[in-house]
């Protein structure tokens, strides 16, 4: 971490969280030196990250939160994490979408960010099981009114999860009857051993149906998802065509990805 007094709070907290996860814990005095800010600023950052549930404050510093494989954070809790990375990933993923294609967007905060970048892509058919993603397109239509080339959105039914995805038999049946060119899939965790995984059993089955109905599968996931394993796996890495991630993905992880996936896109890099 570089010493920079002008870092935005979001950037500073992302650096702190990355350091906590990488080292297994940090002390306040170490962070003040590395970030070039006051003790009070660091403690405020730790308080904010602790409220989000992504680290645990201890005397003099912080340690990672050890989450159970069944723990599923809500949409609001996840939406405040890795904001810059998600925006970069969304921008890069949007370049993979051709006008006039039929695409699917799963639930998740990264696919939610991606939806905003697809509003001006003409003649899309968008299948989604995400209430939040559907709202992005519907809100755009309410604001600008009916316009030529606006996306046609198909929202599956189902039972709503904490991450505002619709899952279960109704969603599964709807998805099984459809076929789309590209699936953009947000994930809870990704690893060589477990593949793609989620803590929600019903969501795992719905994601499995999404993968089966897609001609190409593009996973959109920031670097913190690498090595995370949820309760239920729903796809192997070999079923993924492309991973779009951010520059925080370590070199060793990139090498592992290259052995199993056809393509790795690191947002912001050639």
């Amino acid at each position: 971490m570089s010493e920079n007094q002008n870092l935005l709070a979001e950037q500073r907290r992302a650096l702190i969280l990355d350091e906590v996860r990488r080292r297994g814990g940090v002390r306040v005095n170490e962070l003040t030196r590395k970030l070039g800010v006051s003790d009070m600023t660091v403690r405020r950052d730790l308080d904010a990250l602790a409220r989000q549930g992504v680290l645990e404050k201890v005397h003099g510093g912080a340690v990672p939160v050890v989450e159970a494989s069944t723990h599923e954070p809500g949409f609001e809790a996840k939406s405040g994490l890795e904001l810059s990375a998600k925006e970069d990933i969304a921008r890069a993923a949007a370049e993979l979408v051709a006008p006039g294609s039929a695409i699917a967007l799963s639930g998740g905060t990264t696919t939610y960010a991606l939806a905003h970048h697809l509003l001006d892509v003409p003649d899309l058919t968008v299948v989604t099981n995400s209430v939040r993603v559907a709202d992005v397109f519907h809100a755009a239509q309410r604001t600008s009114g009916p316009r030529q080339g606006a996306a046609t959105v198909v929202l599956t039914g189902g039972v709503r999860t904490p991450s505002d995805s619709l899952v279960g038999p109704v969603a599964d049946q709807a998805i099984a009857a459809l076929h789309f060119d590209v699936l953009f899939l947000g994930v809870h965790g990704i690893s060589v051993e477990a593949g793609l995984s989620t803590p929600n059993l019903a969501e795992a089955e719905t994601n499995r149906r999404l993968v089966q109905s897609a001609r190409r599968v593009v996973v959109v996931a920031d670097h913190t998802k690498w090595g995370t394993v949820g309760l239920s796996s729903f796809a192997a890495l070999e079923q993924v065509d492309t991973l779009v991630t951010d520059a925080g993905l370590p070199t060793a992880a990139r090498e592992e990805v290259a052995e199993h996936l056809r393509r790795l896109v690191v947002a912001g890099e050639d």
Side-chain angles (χ1 to χ4, degrees):
M1 291 189 292
S2 63
E3 297 184 12
N4 187 344
Q5 297 183 18
N6 298 318
L7 284 174
L8 297 174
E10 175 199 327
Q11 297 171 311
R12 203 171 53 242
R13 290 167 188 173
L15 289 169
I16 290 172
L17 183 58
D18 189 61
E19 188 79 350
V20 169
R21 287 170 169 167
R22 185 174 63 83
R23 295 176 50 194
V26 292
R27 301 188 66 81
V28 171
N29 57 7
E30 294 173 333
L31 293 173
T32 57
R33 288 196 305 270
K34 291 183 177 181
L35 293 171
V37 295
S38 67
D39 278 22
M40 185 175 295
T41 297
V42 169
R43 292 183 190 279
R44 279 200 300 265
D45 289 339
L46 294 180
D47 285 338
L49 292 168
R51 285 195 298 270
Q52 291 176 4
V54 294
L55 57 72
E56 180 181 351
K57 288 185 67 181
V58 296
H59 181 69
V63 295
V65 171
V66 179
E67 294 181 348
S69 61
T70 55
H71 175 67
E72 183 178 8
F75 185 92
E76 298 299 340
K78 292 189 291 186
S79 64
L81 304 176
E82 304 295 336
L83 289 176
S84 297
K86 289 173 183 176
E87 184 65 19
D88 291 342
I89 291 168
R91 192 178 298 108
E95 295 180 3
L96 305 178
V97 179
S101 57
I103 66 171
L105 299 179
S106 75
T109 52
T110 309
T111 49
Y112 174 75
L114 172 58
H116 289 84
H117 288 272
L118 299 179
L119 294 175
D120 293 325
V121 180
D123 301 318
L124 289 181
T125 299
V126 180
V127 178
T128 185
N129 68 322
S130 168
V131 176
R132 300 279 186 152
V133 166
D135 280 347
V136 170
F137 291 98
H138 292 318
Q141 291 182 3
R142 287 195 299 269
T143 301
S144 60
R147 58 188 176 86
Q148 187 174 4
T152 299
V153 180
V154 179
L155 178 64
T156 69
V159 178
R160 198 164 180 163
T161 70
S163 58
D164 288 343
S165 299
L166 300 177
V167 302
V170 173
D172 298 346
Q173 186 172 359
I175 293 165
L178 300 172
H179 305 279
F180 22 85
D181 300 309
V182 188
L183 163 64
F184 291 92
L185 187 64
V187 296
H188 171 81
I190 177 171
S191 70
V192 172
E193 297 78 18
L196 312 181
S197 62
T198 173
N200 188 303
L201 290 172
E203 186 168 39
E205 181 57 32
T206 299
N207 284 345
R208 196 173 290 119
R209 296 296 181 94
L210 284 167
V211 171
Q212 292 169 353
S213 294
R215 189 172 300 163
R216 287 195 298 134
V217 177
V218 178
V219 171
V220 287
D222 68 75
H223 70 279
T224 64
K225 304 298 180 65
W226 183 259
T228 298
V229 177
L231 176 66
S232 179
S233 296
F234 57 86
L237 287 187
E238 287 75 13
Q239 293 176 266
V240 177
D241 296 280
T242 303
L243 169 63
V244 184
T245 188
D246 64 286
L249 190 68
T251 301
R254 298 186 191 200
E255 293 172 353
E256 287 186 292
V257 169
E259 293 177 4
H260 295 272
L261 271 65
R262 296 178 180 87
R263 185 182 182 193
L264 171 65
V265 176
V266 180
E269 296 183 4
D270 292 336

